[in-house]
Amino acid sequence: RIQKCSPDGTLLMKFGSSGDGSGQFNRPTGVAVDKDGDIYVVDCGNNRLQMFDAQGGHIDTFLGEGSLSKWGKAKLDANAYMWDERAVGDDLGREKLFWFPVAVKVDGEGRVFVVESGRNRIQVYTKT
């Protein structure tokens, strides 16, 4: 679950429970709040990012939408065997999805940055 406390430690609100449904978590590892008060929670065990309103109501779930960046291509070019490993992959469509997202940060321009440890990348969303 996610808990919000006052500076003196008083519990102000809590939301979420264990599981894989909307508003549930399996090892949440990062939380960020944007200027509108919306809350972003990286749900590492479920490989997703969930977005909540300021009261903890579920708004949306993001599963990832990454692609092979120029830096990712450079890594593969520097490690040629990795191209061969990709060639035998069953479903490279899964590559766009989050794999062990561990942190989230929101900047003042509405961009949401999600750090993935499994794929060694950062996916960026823009709030509209």
Side-chain angles (χ1 to χ4, degrees), residues 30 40-43 47-51 60-63 98 101 104 112 114 125:
Y40 301 83
V41 180
V42 172
D43 189 6
N47 291 308
R48 64 187 180 180
L49 170 72
Q50 294 192 74
M51 180 181 179
D60 207 348
T61 298
F62 303 89
L63 301 177
F98 289 131
V104 61
V112 180
V114 182
Y125 290 84

Side-chain angles (χ1 to χ4, degrees), residues 17-26 43 45-46 48 50 61 63:
S17 61
S18 183
D20 60 8
S22 295
Q24 295 181 320
F25 306 108
N26 179 4
D43 189 6
N46 287 320
R48 64 187 180 180
Q50 294 192 74
T61 298
L63 301 177

Side-chain angles (χ1 to χ4, degrees), residues 8-67:
D8 69 0
T10 302
L11 180 64
L12 301 175
M13 75 176 218
K14 62 182 176 181
F15 62 93
S17 61
S18 183
D20 60 8
S22 295
Q24 295 181 320
F25 306 108
N26 179 4
R27 297 182 187 235
T29 55
V31 177
V33 180
D34 70 16
K35 62 184 177 183
D36 299 321
D38 290 333
I39 304 164
Y40 301 83
V41 180
V42 172
D43 189 6
C44 182
N46 287 320
N47 291 308
R48 64 187 180 180
L49 170 72
Q50 294 192 74
M51 180 181 179
F52 301 87
D53 63 27
Q55 292 73 42
H58 183 264
I59 296 174
D60 207 348
T61 298
F62 303 89
L63 301 177
E65 195 56 48
S67 61

Side-chain angles (χ1 to χ4, degrees), residues 5 30 65 74-75 86 89 93 95 113:
C5 298
E65 195 56 48
K75 178 180 178 179
R86 286 173 54 88
E95 195 172 77
F113 300 84

